């Protein structure tokens, strides 16, 4: 099975560069999101199309940890169909 997830825009309010290198944050987000998507049986998903998904607050602690936290927020929103 192939899973395709397209994120056209990811808007991060209030970061002011505190997350560090945007490329490192992006790489961490992609890697963690791929891991999470691959680890969940497709039968448990409630897929939906959404134009805007609003996630929970994420604590900025550095690019790797912040990327993982953002991936988790996106994953939960997509998985739950919200």
């Amino acid at each position: 099975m192939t899973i395709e997830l397209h994120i056209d825009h990811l808007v991060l309010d209030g970061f002011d560069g505190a997350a560090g290198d945007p490329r490192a944050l992006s790489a961490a987000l992609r890697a963690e999101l791929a891991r999470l998507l691959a680890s969940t049986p497709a039968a448990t998903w409630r897929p939906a199309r959404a134009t805007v998904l609003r996630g929970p607050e994420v604590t900025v602690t550095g690019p790797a940890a912040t990327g993982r936290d953002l991936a988790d927020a996106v994953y939960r929103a997509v998985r739950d169909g919200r």
Side-chain angles (χ1 to χ4, degrees):
M1 171 191 268
T2 300
I3 298 171
E4 290 186 30
L5 175 64
H6 297 275
I7 300 173
D8 291 327
H9 300 282
L10 180 62
V11 178
L12 306 173
D13 290 328
F15 273 57
D16 299 329
D21 179 16
R23 289 184 186 142
L25 187 141
S26 178
L29 185 143
R30 279 195 305 267
E32 181 65 5
L33 197 49
R35 186 191 73 74
L36 291 167
L37 291 171
S39 70
T40 306
T44 64
W45 287 48
R46 287 181 234 105
R49 286 185 176 253
T51 55
V52 175
L53 292 175
R54 298 193 191 283
E57 285 190 22
V58 173
T59 302
V60 178
T61 57
T66 303
R68 285 191 303 269
D69 290 346
L70 288 171
D72 185 59
V74 170
Y75 166 75
R76 282 184 282 132
V78 171
R79 179 198 64 202
D80 296 340
R82 291 184 270 128

